[in-house]
Amino acid sequence: MPLLILLSGLGFATFANADPGGHGQPAPRPASRSPRAPAVAPPTAAPKKLSEMEGIGVVRAIDPAAGRITISYEPIEHLNWPSGTMPFRVGKTALLEGMTVGTKVRFRLESQEITDLKPF
C-alpha cells in the first residue's frame, strides 16, 4: 500500500506542474526579472536654422547688375544638396565687392539667397 500512496503522490506532482489548460505540459516559467538598461535614443544635433546654412565653393561668374554670383559649391548636407554649380542672388550687392572669378569662398544661405560671402 505504501507504494500505491507514493505513486499517487507522483501523479499529483505531475498534475500540479501541468499547464492550466490541462494539456499535461509543464507551466511556463516566469520571465527573468533581471534589470535592463533603459533604451536611450542617441543624441542628435540640433537642427540648423536656415540662416546658418553654409556652403563652400568657387566663384564662376559675377553679375553685379543683377545682384547674382555663380558658385560651384561642395555638397551642402543640411539642404541635401549634392555638389553643383548655380547662380545665387545676393542679399546686398556690397557682398560682391572684391570678389573675382576663381576665388574660393564660404557663403551663408537664407532662402537660397546669399547673406554672407567671404574668401575661404
Side-chain angles (χ1 to χ4, degrees):
M1 191 76 81
L3 181 57
L4 183 58
I5 294 172
L6 179 61
L7 290 177
S8 66
L10 287 176
F12 179 75
T14 302
F15 179 75
N17 287 331
D19 73 49
H23 299 289
Q25 296 181 4
R29 291 186 174 179
S32 169
R33 296 187 191 255
S34 62
R36 284 188 175 180
V40 177
T44 57
K48 286 203 171 214
K49 297 177 186 174
L50 286 178
S51 61
E52 297 175 350
M53 300 299 171
E54 290 186 341
I56 295 173
V58 176
V59 176
R60 296 294 177 206
I62 302 169
D63 185 352
R68 293 191 174 276
I69 186 168
T70 301
I71 299 176
S72 289
Y73 54 88
E74 296 175 4
I76 302 175
E77 290 181 32
H78 298 298
L79 296 174
N80 283 333
W81 285 6
S83 59
T85 302
M86 180 173 158
F88 293 96
R89 286 182 323 178
V90 291
K92 300 178 211 166
T93 54
L95 293 171
L96 300 176
E97 291 176 12
M99 286 294 142
T100 58
V101 172
T103 302
K104 188 170 185 176
V105 293
R106 179 183 304 265
F107 56 97
R108 183 169 294 172
L109 291 171
E110 188 169 331
S111 299
Q112 295 187 7
E113 179 178 271
I114 293 178
T115 59
D116 190 28
L117 179 68
K118 294 184 173 134
F120 182 63

